[in-house]
Amino acid sequence: MAPLDSLVKQHVAPVMKAAGFRRSGQTFRLIAANGDQAILGFSRHYVDPNACVFEVGYDIVPAPYWEWINRHAASDDRRGPVASSMAAMVSGRAVPPPHAAHAPSSDDPYFRAHWALREDNSLTCGEALAAVLRDEAVPQMVHLLDRSRLLEECRHPALPVMRLVPLARVEILLRLDAAPSREIESLLADVVPVDPYDTFIDWVRQRVAARDDAAGQSDGVIL
């Protein structure tokens, strides 16, 4: 078994399983009741012949955002999001302590987040990663699966995560399933199209109309 695979199996999987995440290879996924997902994955960097250098990243993918970026795909073709910031609204990384870091003295946050797994530190590296996941990354991921908390974090950043979607769109996407149509319409005034072909505003209006129509039909059945 490859060193990173062994580390994931021995030290990462137990922590993630205890937190309710499901595993697929080196990817761990927690799906909320509303379809929002928290995903943790690994990226290998071949920069050191004497160590297995890797990053541990996590993404928060709200269901409405996944629906938006897959709007042109048939429903049967929409595979679940992978551990990639390309599909995330918010992304973060599990940063190693100095004794498990590849570049512990680096001032660059990118290099500072690289873990280094060697033959002589496999146990200490694994234990350090398990602790960072258990005490920091997993609680942050679970915290951000709550849309109200995610919205507050996007408005007023406090955690070591990065927002990857413009705030005006975040406000709409995270309220799309519950806010009255008039509030969504008001929020659309702050959306700046990224190019002449940006259909976000039209998509949101269609999505809200379909939501309200479905709610009206449901009300009619209940009555």
Side-chain angles (χ1 to χ4, degrees):
M1 182 179 293
L4 185 56
D5 290 334
S6 179
L7 179 140
V8 169
K9 179 180 180 179
Q10 295 180 24
H11 298 282
V12 176
V15 173
M16 305 307 290
K17 181 179 180 180
F21 284 72
R22 293 186 177 182
R23 178 185 178 186
S24 177
Q26 293 184 357
T27 299
F28 297 84
R29 186 184 309 269
L30 182 63
I31 305 177
N34 60 6
D36 295 357
Q37 300 193 31
I39 307 166
L40 181 134
F42 293 75
S43 299
R44 176 80 188 271
H45 299 281
Y46 296 89
V47 295
D48 187 338
N50 299 312
C52 172
V53 180
F54 64 94
E55 284 183 89
V56 185
Y58 59 90
D59 303 311
I60 306 299
V61 187
Y65 182 57
W66 181 245
E67 184 180 340
W68 155 247
I69 63 177
N70 283 275
R71 62 197 178 279
H72 297 308
S75 58
D76 293 341
D77 295 333
R78 292 180 184 175
R79 299 179 180 179
V82 297
S84 168
S85 59
M86 292 180 64
M89 180 174 284
V90 166
S91 183
R93 288 179 289 184
V95 179
H99 69 274
H102 185 249
S105 60
S106 176
D107 294 328
D108 188 325
Y110 173 76
F111 292 106
R112 179 66 183 80
H114 289 184
W115 296 73
L117 175 62
R118 303 181 178 88
E119 290 186 4
D120 61 353
N121 81 338
S122 59
L123 178 59
T124 56
C125 182
E127 291 177 340
L129 177 53
V132 169
L133 293 175
R134 182 182 61 249
D135 300 336
E136 299 175 18
V138 167
Q140 289 167 7
M141 296 168 74
V142 173
H143 176 80
L144 294 175
L145 269 184
D146 182 294
R147 289 188 187 177
S148 62
R149 294 170 180 168
L150 177 56
L151 182 55
E152 184 64 19
E153 174 63 24
C154 289
R155 290 171 174 167
H156 308 289
L159 300 177
V161 296
M162 180 181 297
R163 173 171 53 83
L164 303 173
V165 178
L167 183 56
R169 300 188 184 218
V170 169
E171 292 269 359
I172 292 168
L173 289 164
L174 293 182
R175 301 179 63 192
L176 195 54
D177 289 336
S181 57
R182 63 181 181 277
E183 292 186 18
I184 298 295
E185 190 63 35
S186 177
L187 291 170
L188 284 172
D190 295 326
V191 173
V192 178
V194 296
D195 58 48
Y197 307 101
D198 186 357
T199 62
F200 181 76
I201 292 176
D202 290 338
W203 178 84
V204 168
R205 286 173 174 158
Q206 293 170 6
R207 176 68 159 65
V208 171
R211 179 203 70 182
D212 292 347
D213 286 345
Q217 294 175 5
S218 177
D219 290 343
V221 171
I222 294 174
L223 292 175

